[in-house]
Amino acid sequence: GYRGIGFKSVAGIASRVHLISGDLEATFDRELTRRDVGGDGDTPLIRIPHAMALNGESQVLRHATDLVQSGFNTVFILDGLDRIAVEEELVAFDSDYLIFLRNVEGVDIATPTGQSRYSCARQPAKEGLTISTTSPTGTMKWWVTQQHGTAAACLMDNGIPVALKGDQAYAHAFLPTQEITGLGLRLNADFSTDPSRTRIVLDDVTERCIVQCVSLLSDLTMGAIKTDDSFARGLIAAVTPTVDINLIGLQRKRFSTELISIWADRLRELTAGIDLAPRWIPTQDASALGGRKGIAGRVLPHPSAEGSAKPGALPALLQAIGKRPLPHAAAASAVLEGGMSIDANAQTVALAVRN
């Protein structure tokens, strides 16, 4: 294990835990701890190890001993299980739990109602891994890339990244938490979590992890802006904020608000030399505005513009981070320099008439 996160999480489903690992045998029990320490307050389950409380003749202990003798290094015995909580955990489990667990290839879950198999196959791919996860409900493909202890996972469709819906883009502390990233992809890092490992705690460790995630996202975005192929456009869509950044300052501070605040600022830096055309400029004419009088740098079509060319993912990203379109006067002046489509000239005349 790592940092005891998985072990501590059993406190949510069991009232007593017995552990056999090599020569170590121990029991974790609130009542035993309360008896030894004293006090009537809330007593944590996973704090103080006690001598093995199971009787040597216990059938459960004999079965655990058989497991050790058959080759298992460590055996946990969860006593006093909350059946409803266990059933809820098993129902919630899916193959996407395995995305960032590099040493786990499969999980078998056996219940009185049947058995389910969840698997994860990893293959080297473009600057990362292609991961195929399989569950009783089907197969999903992911592209995972990592840097400095953090990782990002994009859902794939025919080899192209696809932005996840906001409520499916979870942050992982190796296993998925209940926190969303506010983007169209999943992020994994060594975030601090509460004992249930479902909520991310905003401490110094998490803040450092957020900065590292932004660094990873920055590298992905810079490469995608330069490449501009179908894979890059899918990636741009996945790193685009799915939340309204104008409302972040009014919301309760949590993981997604901290991540998006920093990420939006970084995106503004990365796209400082790129402008949006006004909505009335046809999509096929937007790029021709760049470099004309009063307009420096690259110009992209407005996400809602009409025309013969598709706006693509980058304009939507610019709009999401609050990029304002070029002033109407500057765009109209550029069109009048010539070389634009009939539609662009017609829209310019219409704008002049309206004003």
Side-chain angles (χ1 to χ4, degrees):
Y2 184 62
R3 293 180 62 194
I5 294 173
F7 185 39
K8 290 176 184 176
S9 69
V10 304
I13 60 173
S15 61
R16 197 182 224 196
V17 180
H18 310 282
L19 168 65
I20 302 174
S21 184
D23 295 330
L24 172 66
E25 294 186 0
T27 292
F28 293 88
D29 186 298
R30 287 190 177 91
E31 292 302 321
L32 293 178
T33 299
R34 191 175 292 115
R35 182 196 66 189
D36 292 349
V37 176
D40 298 324
D42 185 32
T43 304
L45 175 63
I46 309 297
R47 280 296 184 273
I48 299 177
H50 303 274
M52 173 61 71
L54 285 176
N55 186 291
E57 299 301 318
S58 164
Q59 182 177 354
V60 172
L61 184 57
R62 289 202 303 270
H63 181 56
T65 302
D66 291 341
L67 289 174
V68 171
Q69 291 175 350
S70 67
F72 285 88
N73 295 321
T74 300
V75 177
F76 296 95
I77 304 171
L78 308 183
D79 204 353
L81 287 174
D82 181 336
R83 182 169 180 173
I84 294 177
V86 172
E87 289 177 348
E88 289 176 347
E89 288 282 350
L90 294 179
V91 168
F93 189 89
D94 207 345
S95 57
D96 59 356
Y97 277 48
L98 308 179
I99 296 173
F100 298 112
L101 301 181
R102 292 171 293 182
N103 297 320
V104 179
E105 295 181 355
V107 173
D108 293 299
I109 296 180
T111 67
T113 59
Q115 185 164 328
S116 300
R117 172 72 176 173
Y118 302 85
S119 62
C120 182
R122 300 170 176 85
Q123 292 183 335
K126 178 182 180 181
E127 298 180 4
L129 295 173
T130 296
I131 294 179
S132 179
T133 59
T134 303
S135 71
T137 58
T139 298
M140 301 179 73
K141 291 189 181 296
W142 303 81
W143 177 73
V144 176
T145 186
Q146 53 190 350
Q147 178 188 98
H148 306 310
T150 64
C154 294
L155 185 64
M156 300 289 281
D157 183 16
N158 292 323
I160 304 299
V162 177
L164 290 166
K165 294 181 179 179
D167 60 358
Q168 294 297 314
Y170 297 113
H172 288 234
F174 301 99
L175 290 172
T177 68
Q178 293 179 4
E179 307 279 357
I180 62 169
T181 63
L183 304 171
L185 48 66
R186 298 195 182 191
L187 290 171
N188 179 67
D190 191 14
F191 303 115
S192 296
T193 65
D194 66 359
S196 72
R197 60 144 190 84
T198 62
R199 293 295 179 187
I200 294 177
V201 176
L202 294 178
D203 58 9
D204 291 342
V205 172
T206 294
E207 293 296 337
R208 286 195 295 270
C209 289
I210 288 175
V211 171
Q212 291 169 344
C213 286
V214 168
S215 176
L216 170 59
L217 293 170
S218 297
D219 288 348
L220 291 177
T221 303
M222 286 190 294
I225 290 175
K226 294 176 182 178
T227 306
D228 194 30
D229 56 17
S230 57
F231 187 95
R233 289 191 287 273
L235 198 54
I236 290 291
V239 302
T240 298
T242 58
V243 297
D244 189 339
I245 63 172
N246 296 314
L247 300 179
I248 287 179
L250 304 176
Q251 297 176 1
R252 177 179 59 85
K253 187 176 180 180
R254 58 183 183 273
F255 172 76
S256 61
T257 62
E258 294 304 288
L259 172 67
I260 296 303
S261 293
I262 299 174
W263 177 227
D265 287 342
R266 180 61 179 138
L267 279 174
R268 294 186 186 101
E269 295 174 1
L270 294 175
T271 59
I274 306 175
D275 286 311
L276 275 179
R279 184 175 179 178
W280 53 270
I281 293 288
T283 56
Q284 67 270 21
D285 293 292
S287 62
L289 296 177
R292 299 202 173 196
K293 184 178 179 180
I295 302 174
R298 181 179 174 188
V299 181
L300 300 177
H302 192 280
S304 301
E306 297 181 354
S308 59
K310 293 184 178 180
L314 190 52
L317 182 146
L318 295 178
Q319 187 178 54
I321 61 174
K323 175 80 78 171
R324 293 182 178 276
L326 290 169
H328 292 308
S333 177
V335 172
L336 293 176
E337 291 183 28
M340 297 288 189
S341 69
I342 295 176
D343 287 342
N345 284 277
Q347 292 291 345
T348 303
V349 172
L351 176 69
V353 171
R354 287 196 299 269
N355 294 334

